[in-house]
Amino acid sequence: MSKKISLGQIADFSEGKATVIQVEGTAIIINRVKDEFYAVENRCPHMGLPLGANKVEGTVITCQFHGSKFDMCTGENLDWVTSFAGAKLPEWSRRLVAMGKKPTPIKTLRVLSENGQLFIEI
């Protein structure tokens, strides 16, 4: 059964600036694109490190550690382990840094807006 939790006023979330918030002990990234809101768990499936809200362009979020890219609407993995600590990896070494892990989606969460308020379902 899902639970609806208030995140605050819609006006508190600026377009083009993703925000990390804590929701019942879990770090969530909220991203506003025009009048749509997207939420994902702030955890990369590659090694469990935080994705980082400063690496969001439109609805695509990039892991700050290994360059994996994800669609915040669907959670789909768009590109898997392309860099290490910001340095681009040659194609041959990408499999090594991936440590045998297959491309995996990120967890998305449903965002609702009602009467100027923003809510998330967990």
Side-chain angles (χ1 to χ4, degrees):
M1 182 181 208
S2 64
K3 182 177 178 181
K4 189 166 86 170
I5 298 172
S6 175
L7 301 175
Q9 298 286 327
I10 288 174
D12 295 339
F13 296 90
S14 303
E15 182 176 354
K17 182 178 182 282
T19 306
V20 177
I21 60 170
Q22 290 289 323
V23 177
E24 297 202 348
T26 301
I28 304 292
I29 298 174
I30 306 293
N31 183 29
R32 181 177 187 171
V33 179
K34 298 187 180 169
D35 289 327
E36 297 291 323
F37 291 88
Y38 305 95
V40 298
E41 190 174 288
N42 187 20
R43 183 181 178 280
C44 181
H46 175 229
M47 293 184 70
L49 298 168
L51 287 165
N54 61 337
K55 295 285 190 171
V56 177
E57 291 181 31
T59 60
V60 175
I61 188 166
T62 303
C63 174
Q64 60 189 339
F65 297 100
H66 299 109
S68 297
K69 294 182 184 303
F70 304 92
D71 182 330
M72 291 185 77
C73 305
T74 64
E76 177 186 4
N77 175 264
L78 304 173
D79 204 357
W80 189 245
V81 187
T82 61
S83 63
F84 181 75
K88 200 92 166 126
L89 290 173
E91 188 65 38
W92 66 268
S93 64
R94 288 175 67 174
R95 287 188 309 274
L96 179 66
V97 175
M99 301 180 337
K101 295 183 178 181
K102 303 256 186 254
T104 307
I106 55 174
K107 182 177 180 183
T108 60
L109 298 129
R110 187 168 177 222
V111 180
L112 308 163
S113 60
E114 297 173 5
N115 302 321
Q117 294 280 323
L118 202 62
F119 298 89
I120 193 165
E121 282 187 352
I122 60 167

